[in-house]
């Protein structure tokens, strides 16, 4: 089973020898980030900093820094567990396209153990601070990289609601601490919470916001999942963990947050109020520039009596968000297949930030099938931000980058097999010559058909493989050779 809260997971990791306590004083300015980044890149344990300078709470980092720990946190043996569970819901076959995706999630909603459950109170409200008692300087925001524009909370789960429809959104966005009561909301152009804020501005209304730290693992994962805007992340979190998530009403804003969280910030966004946010060393491995973003005034802080704060360190890959990205890749394959049924498998390399490159395999059936698939992927929700799509045949392991490179290097005539288009790119993309849109490429690395113009004598060549009978003989005699 998935863990109900952060602290029970930390206890289990410590019992496994997969958590290290740091008892000496550490500085949240650069030092914590450097320690965490080194440990993560070495495949090391989760870290619990018990004495963070200036902080009222210990700080947990690198909690989800390995696939082993994230799987343990979610109660899974492999990421395929959830993918197979989702796949099971898609039988009998649902309609292709986004209608099918919504029908799939409609089936989730019908499962009584999945929708969130409202409770009267919870541990996260054992302590309530308002007015002058609110002091964000007492929480361990991290100044991670030398050219960062300030200190940031990097694992705060942000709750908003559409002012018109009432649809809730749970998202993970970086949060710059401007002062003891103000934080910047890095809401990128493609994000649902930004849309909620724009609706509130148009109506001349304030937008209530709640930010939860140290949430149950399934909730933390769900906040990163690329769900359609009308699908409740808490519904998905309940599906992942196999039981309902308990929510409690906030004290000062009309929102609900996880009852088992560690710390919650509550406040209101005033229409039009922004402050310069950034620069920030982001998960792309490059600094994103300073831009104006909404500034939230925090009116209330609730927490457990002895809270454990949680953060994440991002930067040049690999980092702690790698396992989260791999989970999304596997979880959402069955749903992506509804939108693009041509797909056999796909891979989103971590080096591409999980959105710059997609490797897709297909069972090629007709001329230009690869190009059809590229354009379908570019039309599939947040896959629209993908800058490079490499299409290979179904017999290629998309997770074996050496195999993929061999196909792409050898199977491609770039005068015919390279597709270049323009379209939206990620808000954080620094390579596009203007913000928000730029060039994209698709590479057809499949075998070519005569109908596609490949008319050379003998047709497309066969790949070199061993003679099966000889290979079997050599395997049986291997010890005889003394090798």
């Amino acid at each position: 089973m998935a863990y109900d809260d952060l602290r029970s997971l930390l206890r289990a990791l410590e019992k496994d020898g997969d958590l290290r306590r740091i008892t000496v004083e550490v500085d949240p300015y650069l030092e914590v980030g450097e320690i965490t980044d080194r440990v993560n890149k070495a495949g090391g344990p989760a870290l619990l900093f018990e004495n963070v300078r200036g902080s009222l709470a210990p700080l947990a980092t690198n909690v989800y820094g390995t696939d082993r720990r994230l799987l343990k946190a979610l109660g899974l043996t492999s990421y395929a567990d959830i993918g197979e569970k989702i796949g099971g819901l898609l039988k009998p076959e649902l309609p292709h396209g986004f209608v099918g995706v919504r029908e799939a999630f409609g089936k989730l909603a019908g499962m009584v153990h999945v929708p969130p459950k409202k409770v009267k109170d919870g541990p996260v409200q054992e302590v309530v601070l308002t007015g002058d008692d609110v002091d964000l300087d007492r929480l361990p925001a991290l100044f991670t990289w030398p050219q960062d524009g300030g200190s940031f909370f990097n694992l705060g789960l942000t709750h908003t609601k559409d002012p018109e429809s009432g649809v809730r959104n749970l998202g993970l966005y970086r949060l710059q601490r401007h002062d003891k009561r103000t934080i910047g909301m890095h809401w990128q152009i493609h994000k649902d919470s930004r849309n909620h804020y724009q609706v509130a501005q148009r109506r001349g209304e304030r937008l209530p916001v709640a930010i939860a730290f140290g949430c149950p693992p399934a909730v933390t994962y769900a906040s990163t999942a690329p769900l359609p805007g009308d699908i409740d992340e808490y519904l998905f979190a309940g599906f992942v963990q196999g039981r309902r998530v308990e929510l409690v009403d906030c004290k000062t804003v009309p929102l609900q947050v996880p009852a088992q969280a560690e710390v919650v910030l509550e406040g209101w966004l005033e229409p039009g109020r922004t402050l310069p946010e950034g620069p920030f060393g982001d998960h792309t491995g490059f600094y994103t520039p300073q831009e104006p973003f909404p500034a939230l005034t925090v009116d209330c802080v609730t927490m457990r009596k002895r809270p454990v704060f949680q953060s994440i360190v991002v930067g040049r890959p690999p980092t702690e968000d790698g396992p989260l990205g791999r989970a999304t890749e596997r979880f959402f394959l069955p749903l992506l297949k509804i939108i693009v049924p041509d797909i056999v498998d796909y891979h989103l390399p971590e080096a591409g930030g999980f959105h710059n490159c997609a490797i897709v395999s297909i069972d090629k059936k007709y001329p230009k099938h690869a190009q059809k698939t590229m354009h379908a992927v570019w039309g599939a929700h947040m896959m629209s931000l993908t800058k490079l799509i490499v299409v290979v045949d179904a017999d290629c392991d998309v997770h074996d980058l050496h195999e993929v490179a061999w196909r792409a290097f050898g199977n491609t005539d770039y005068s015919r097999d390279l597709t270049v288009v323009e379209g939206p790119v990620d808000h954080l993309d620094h390579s596009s010559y203007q913000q928000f849109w730029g060039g994209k490429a698709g590479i057809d690395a499949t075998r070519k058909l005569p109908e596609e113009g490949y008319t050379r004598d003998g047709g497309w060549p066969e790949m070199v493989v061993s003679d099966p009978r000889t290979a079997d003989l050599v395997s049986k005699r291997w010890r005889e050779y003394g090798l």
Side-chain angles (χ1 to χ4, degrees):
M1 296 290 287
Y3 286 83
D4 289 323
D5 57 20
L6 173 65
R7 55 185 56 205
S8 62
L9 171 62
L10 297 181
R11 286 193 296 268
L13 293 177
E14 186 168 34
K15 184 178 179 181
D16 291 346
D18 207 7
L19 179 143
R20 183 67 58 83
R21 292 178 181 265
I22 312 297
T23 58
V24 298
E25 184 182 70
V26 292
D27 195 336
Y29 179 82
L30 297 179
E31 187 179 14
V32 170
E34 179 70 19
I35 296 168
T36 301
D37 190 56
R38 287 193 192 188
V39 171
N40 174 268
K41 285 178 169 51
L47 301 174
L48 184 61
F49 297 96
E50 296 184 328
N51 188 7
V52 181
R53 184 173 302 164
S55 173
L56 61 77
L59 172 66
T61 67
N62 204 35
V63 175
Y64 306 125
T66 64
D67 293 313
R68 179 183 65 255
R69 285 199 293 276
L70 181 57
L71 288 168
K72 182 181 183 69
L74 299 179
L76 305 174
T77 57
S78 77
Y79 295 136
D81 292 350
I82 293 296
E84 291 170 359
K85 192 175 178 182
I86 291 174
L89 290 174
L90 309 186
K91 299 174 183 178
E93 185 177 356
L94 294 170
H96 290 155
F98 288 101
V99 172
V101 172
R102 286 181 169 80
E103 285 194 24
F105 277 102
K107 287 190 174 185
L108 299 188
M111 299 171 66
V112 295
H113 67 283
V114 167
K117 174 184 178 182
K118 182 180 176 181
V119 295
K120 291 183 178 180
D121 52 37
V124 74
Q125 295 178 341
E126 291 172 343
V127 176
V128 179
L129 304 174
T130 59
D132 293 339
D133 291 330
V134 173
D135 186 357
L136 302 182
D137 291 337
R138 297 286 290 152
L139 297 176
L142 298 182
F143 194 114
T144 303
W145 302 109
Q147 296 179 39
D148 282 355
S151 297
F152 292 80
F153 301 118
N154 294 334
L155 204 59
L157 278 53
T158 301
H159 300 69
T160 59
K161 277 188 178 180
D162 187 306
E164 293 179 342
S165 69
V167 172
R168 169 172 50 204
N169 181 67
L170 174 67
L172 179 60
Y173 317 103
R174 75 182 192 227
L175 307 159
Q176 183 170 354
R177 184 178 63 194
H178 291 303
D179 58 45
K180 62 184 287 185
R181 288 194 58 187
T182 309
I183 54 178
M185 314 299 296
H186 189 258
W187 286 343
Q188 301 164 39
I189 191 171
H190 305 108
K191 303 300 184 180
D192 292 324
S193 287
R194 179 187 177 103
N195 295 336
H196 294 176
Y197 179 62
Q198 289 177 329
V199 171
Q201 278 201 111
R202 188 179 69 241
R203 293 161 59 102
E205 299 173 356
R206 300 190 300 165
L207 183 73
V209 179
I211 305 166
F213 297 89
C215 293
V219 175
T220 298
Y221 169 71
S223 73
T224 73
L227 298 170
D230 57 351
I231 302 300
D232 187 6
E233 285 80 8
Y234 280 105
L235 174 68
F236 187 62
F239 174 69
V240 170
Q241 71 178 20
R243 58 188 179 280
R244 302 168 71 180
V245 178
E246 293 186 345
L247 299 179
V248 63
D249 286 337
C250 290
K251 293 294 185 180
T252 63
V253 294
L255 297 167
Q256 295 177 333
V257 291
Q260 303 299 324
E262 296 287 329
V263 177
V264 169
L265 313 181
E266 303 177 8
W268 295 83
L269 279 173
E270 299 292 339
R273 188 195 177 201
T274 63
L275 287 173
E277 194 269 0
F280 179 73
D282 222 312
H283 74 278
T284 60
F286 295 88
Y287 288 97
T288 49
Q290 186 179 85
E291 295 182 74
F293 278 98
L296 175 72
T297 300
V298 177
D299 299 317
C300 177
V301 177
T302 72
M303 65 179 75
R304 293 176 182 247
K305 289 180 179 178
R306 299 181 64 184
V308 176
F309 208 76
Q310 186 180 9
S311 193
I312 188 172
V313 169
V314 297
R316 189 170 177 172
T319 58
E320 186 178 347
D321 58 357
L324 295 168
R326 285 190 287 277
T328 290
E329 176 193 284
R330 293 296 92 193
F331 288 3
F332 283 82
L333 175 59
L335 294 170
L336 184 59
K337 284 184 175 181
I338 293 177
I339 303 173
V340 190
D342 311 83
I343 292 176
V344 174
D345 199 359
Y346 80 127
H347 177 50
L348 306 175
E350 182 178 1
F354 299 100
H355 57 74
N356 283 337
C357 176
I359 302 163
V360 176
S361 63
I362 63 171
D363 183 10
K364 187 171 181 176
K365 291 182 170 63
Y366 48 81
K368 299 299 179 182
H369 194 171
Q371 287 75 5
K372 184 257 189 185
T373 303
M374 296 171 194
H375 291 284
V377 171
W378 279 320
H381 193 43
M382 295 305 288
M383 295 293 289
S384 64
L385 305 180
T386 307
K387 292 201 297 182
L388 174 64
I389 300 174
V390 181
V391 183
V392 294
D393 289 306
D395 61 353
C396 178
D397 180 358
V398 295
H399 305 282
D400 183 342
L401 296 184
H402 186 276
E403 171 82 4
V404 171
W406 177 63
R407 307 274 187 132
F409 298 160
N411 283 2
T412 306
D413 176 345
Y414 286 97
S415 68
R416 292 173 176 261
D417 302 330
L418 176 66
T419 299
V420 178
V421 299
E422 290 182 336
V425 297
D426 191 87
H427 193 131
L428 305 179
D429 187 87
H430 63 277
S431 67
S432 58
Y433 282 53
Q434 61 290 306
Q435 198 172 28
F436 306 135
W437 65 275
K440 300 161 176 284
I443 296 174
D444 177 4
T446 63
R447 74 190 192 285
K448 303 308 181 297
L449 305 175
E451 297 88 343
E452 293 175 300
Y454 190 86
T455 57
R456 292 172 59 173
D457 290 344
W460 192 259
E462 295 291 330
M463 291 186 291
V464 174
V465 294
S466 297
D467 173 64
R469 292 181 63 184
T470 304
D472 183 57
L473 172 66
V474 169
S475 295
K476 291 177 179 177
R477 298 193 61 194
W478 194 255
R479 289 187 179 181
E480 296 180 44
Y481 306 142
L483 298 175

